Amino acid sequence: NRPEQTGVFKTNTVLAYDDNLQLVAWGYPALAQEPPKKKKLQTKPRKPVELFKLHLANVKDDDKPPLPPGLDPRKAITDYLHEMNKLVAETLNSRWPGIRYPQQVRFVLSVPSEWHHDAKAIMRECMFNAGYLENRQSENLEFTTEPEAAAVYCMKSLTEHHLSAGSSFMIVDCGGGTVDLTTRTLLPGMKLSEITERSGDLCGSSYVDREFLRFLGRKLGYAAMKKLKENHYGQMQYLVQQFCSRVKFSFNGNPNEFSTKELDIERVCPALMEYVTGHAKEQMEEADWLIELDFLNVKEMFDPVVNKIIDLITKQLASTERRCSAMFLVGGFSESQYLQQQIRRQFMNQVPIIAVPKHPIAAIERGALEYGLNMEIVQTRVLKFCYGVEVSAKWEKGDPPERRTPSGRIFKFHRLALRGVEVAVDQKFYYTAGPVVPNQTDMTFNIFITPDNNAKYCDEDGMKMLGKMKIDLPDPQRGKNRLVEFTLTFGTMEVKATAINKRTGQIYESSFILEF
């Protein structure tokens, strides 16, 4: 349950700090502030910090929420996790007295599918700093992606709709900020495989709220809305919540069932009145500071967001030749009747079953728990990147002259596992290498990932180093006849690099977060 709320499945990702960056509230209490009815009760407005995990995502700076000066996103994430940790510990101790916390608890962290390995590494560090782990490399922390967790949760719905092994189904996770999609196949024994690369975009329900604020900007002036956001953010969020509860949640796209709604600015957001000027102020005074929202106004707030989701689904369906037997809509936004209606209208002839499971807003959390209890449930995943190593090859005619080294060699990217390939858990990819020069005493494997399966060099755009591994090459008198077998093993959510000196048998290992 949320702080100061009961019977609610999710906690708002919001923090509130004072001027000294001391945390004063988190979750729902940090979000919206109802305007005080008496002046003597007025307090200094505090600006909530929300959606701060977007700072770990690979998105444009304009899509990242502003942070107070001096506040690092890692601190915000750690502060939030720390408050959540206190609630988790309290709940577990009341349900299971005597439990050793956190030693006897496995934590499963669901993350957006588009997050890179460095973002997951930051989350592990924040979990450690927030008190969940005894050490940074603790095996008590597991990662899963949000669409994968949602797919695990929806497996119960597969039997309800009489889907059998071999059937493919799509998960459309419509959250507040992002929408993520994944297509899976049901295997015998109620196991899952992934058959397409996950996709997603920033088109969750909060973008309908943004369209509402843009509507107010056109009506009252963008400068007025900017000042409201800067000086009375809590009141602005209260205004948004009034829009959500009175308009957004009940909108179903049927004009015959819609009645024009009024928002009383003087009552729900009086601070805005002092920033409205000129002709807009005259009009609002004539209207007694009432703003009307008719059917077309609201539909125009939904349509840009809904159309973006429909485009994502269209592309996901086109990415596989297999027939999609079912589509499950999860996440808070999936409860929108208008979104459901538009998706069914668009895809009813392509996908026989389009359904919303029970408690869709909690699908990811419950699916992550089920995954943590049975991690063998996911049998295969599709690689989101191409994996390989940098190799020193003999420069050949036709190779770029500027890349030729003084010793007549060239550094190239050697592909081991291709993007888009479906890999089983613990599947291995091999590469055998030897020393470049006879008296070489060590060898370094630089491991790279790239979204481009046709990449040739490790300095191309999009190329990222995942890590490096240095191994010893004893007995230089044996010259180049000292082979090393390099292996990438794809586990549940990490990739393990192993190098074995074929002559001595010495084994070197290192693990990295896996990009699924």
Side-chain angles (χ1 to χ4, degrees):
N1 288 332
R2 300 180 184 181
E4 296 187 17
Q5 286 185 300
T6 58
V8 181
F9 288 115
K10 296 196 77 171
T11 303
N12 300 86
T13 311
V14 192
L15 298 166
Y17 291 92
D18 62 19
D19 291 340
N20 297 319
L21 294 184
Q22 296 299 308
L23 187 66
V24 294
W26 74 290
Y28 179 77
L31 183 59
Q33 292 174 285
E34 183 176 0
K37 294 180 176 60
K38 297 180 181 180
K39 288 189 176 181
K40 67 178 182 179
L41 295 177
Q42 290 184 359
T43 57
K44 184 178 180 181
R46 61 192 189 204
K47 188 172 180 179
V49 179
E50 57 180 333
L51 301 175
F52 38 83
K53 73 176 186 179
L54 284 177
H55 282 267
L56 302 188
N58 186 25
V59 299
K60 299 176 183 176
D61 287 341
D62 291 345
D63 289 318
K64 295 178 181 179
L67 297 177
L71 180 64
D72 185 87
R74 300 186 192 209
K75 172 176 166 49
I77 293 170
T78 302
D79 286 347
Y80 187 86
L81 290 172
H82 183 263
E83 296 303 312
M84 180 72 78
N85 191 26
K86 291 190 285 187
L87 189 60
V88 171
E90 179 185 320
T91 303
L92 287 178
N93 284 323
S94 67
R95 304 281 173 85
W96 291 282
I99 190 173
R100 288 192 299 117
Y101 184 85
Q103 294 89 340
Q104 292 180 313
V105 178
R106 170 184 287 171
F107 300 97
V108 182
L109 208 56
S110 61
V111 297
S113 60
E114 71 274 11
W115 273 20
H116 287 179
H117 66 280
D118 49 354
K120 296 170 191 171
I122 290 172
M123 287 303 298
R124 176 174 280 276
E125 179 73 15
C126 292
M127 287 286 286
F128 171 73
N129 290 334
Y132 291 84
L133 310 174
E134 289 193 293
N135 59 74
R136 287 176 173 82
Q137 303 306 319
S138 172
E139 295 184 358
N140 283 12
L141 175 62
E142 297 287 348
F143 286 95
T144 183
T145 64
E146 291 171 354
E148 180 170 272
V152 171
Y153 177 73
C154 289
M155 288 183 69
K156 293 179 181 178
S157 300
L158 299 180
T159 54
E160 294 173 11
H161 293 285
H162 308 293
L163 296 180
S164 56
S167 299
S168 296
F169 64 99
M170 182 189 299
I171 300 296
V172 184
D173 175 20
C174 308
T178 60
V179 172
D180 291 306
L181 291 81
T182 182
T183 303
R184 306 275 168 156
T185 295
L186 182 63
L187 301 176
M190 293 299 284
K191 307 291 184 183
L192 286 179
S193 72
E194 187 175 32
I195 61 173
T196 64
E197 200 175 306
R198 272 149 288 169
S199 59
D201 206 344
L202 297 170
C203 47
S205 64
S206 64
Y207 287 84
V208 178
D209 303 343
R210 288 193 183 193
E211 294 297 325
F212 165 64
L213 293 175
R214 288 195 183 102
F215 167 81
L216 293 181
R218 292 191 294 271
K219 202 168 187 69
L220 306 176
Y222 291 107
M225 295 303 297
K226 183 180 179 183
K227 289 180 179 177
L228 176 69
K229 183 177 182 179
E230 290 173 350
N231 301 319
H232 298 274
Y233 193 85
Q235 275 197 40
M236 187 190 80
Q237 281 297 336
Y238 185 74
L239 174 61
V240 169
Q241 285 198 4
Q242 291 296 304
F243 161 72
C244 291
S245 60
R246 298 185 55 203
V247 183
K248 178 174 135 180
F249 294 155
S250 60
F251 184 73
N252 64 7
N254 188 341
N256 298 322
E257 297 179 6
F258 185 89
S259 58
T260 298
K261 304 294 193 300
E262 286 185 342
L263 285 177
D264 187 344
I265 297 299
E266 187 173 12
R267 184 178 66 83
V268 300
C269 192
L272 179 56
M273 298 168 64
E274 63 182 278
Y275 301 127
V276 181
T277 60
H279 183 60
K281 183 176 182 179
E282 294 174 5
Q283 286 186 318
M284 290 307 300
E285 287 176 342
E286 288 179 15
D288 204 20
W289 290 96
L290 295 176
I291 288 183
E292 290 189 348
L293 297 171
D294 62 27
F295 176 81
L296 282 179
N297 293 148
V298 180
K299 186 174 183 297
E300 287 171 356
M301 296 173 195
F302 271 85
D303 281 346
V305 184
V306 171
N307 290 340
K308 209 169 182 181
I309 295 172
I310 287 174
D311 185 50
L312 282 172
I313 296 173
T314 301
K315 291 177 180 176
Q316 180 74 197
L317 286 170
S319 66
T320 176
E321 296 179 356
R322 300 191 196 184
R323 178 174 178 268
C324 183
S325 301
M327 182 190 304
F328 296 104
L329 311 180
V330 300
F333 196 22
S334 71
E335 298 189 83
S336 164
Q337 294 182 56
Y338 182 59
L339 176 62
Q340 293 177 22
Q341 173 203 110
Q342 293 300 99
I343 289 177
R344 288 192 172 104
R345 182 182 65 82
Q346 187 74 23
F347 301 106
M348 59 186 298
N349 295 326
Q350 291 176 260
V351 184
I353 300 167
I354 300 177
V356 180
K358 186 179 180 182
H359 303 316
I361 193 171
I364 292 172
E365 290 76 14
R366 295 186 176 197
L369 285 173
E370 291 180 29
Y371 171 74
L373 292 170
N374 179 17
M375 294 177 62
E376 293 181 0
I377 198 168
V378 178
Q379 294 288 292
T380 71
R381 294 183 174 93
V382 173
L383 294 181
K384 191 177 178 181
F385 288 90
C386 174
Y387 288 74
V389 291
E390 187 178 46
V391 299
S392 173
K394 185 179 179 182
W395 188 90
E396 303 283 355
K397 187 176 180 181
D399 286 334
E402 67 276 10
R403 289 187 177 273
R404 180 172 179 167
T405 68
S407 58
R409 303 192 71 82
I410 183 172
F411 289 100
K412 291 184 175 182
F413 176 66
H414 177 76
R415 298 185 297 273
L416 288 175
L418 297 179
R419 173 184 176 175
V421 168
E422 184 179 352
V423 297
V425 174
D426 292 334
Q427 185 170 341
K428 293 176 168 53
F429 294 83
Y430 298 94
Y431 166 68
T432 301
V436 174
V437 294
N439 61 347
Q440 194 169 324
T441 58
D442 57 52
M443 181 185 297
T444 299
F445 290 95
N446 294 326
I447 308 160
F448 285 87
I449 59 173
T450 174
D452 183 5
N453 277 341
N454 297 312
K456 293 182 178 180
Y457 307 105
C458 295
D459 56 358
E460 293 181 15
D461 289 342
M463 192 71 73
K464 282 190 174 183
M465 180 180 279
L466 188 63
K468 58 174 58 181
M469 178 183 288
K470 185 176 181 180
I471 73 168
D472 296 325
L473 288 176
D475 302 329
Q477 67 273 14
R478 292 182 177 270
K480 294 185 179 182
N481 188 27
R482 292 173 293 156
L483 297 182
V484 174
E485 184 179 78
F486 179 82
T487 308
L488 284 182
T489 304
F490 292 88
T492 51
M493 285 300 289
E494 67 177 13
V495 58
K496 179 182 288 186
T498 307
I500 302 176
N501 188 317
K502 300 286 281 183
R503 197 189 68 78
T504 66
Q506 189 168 2
I507 299 174
Y508 300 79
E509 289 185 334
S510 187
S511 296
F512 311 96
I513 295 294
L514 181 54
E515 292 297 341
F516 284 125

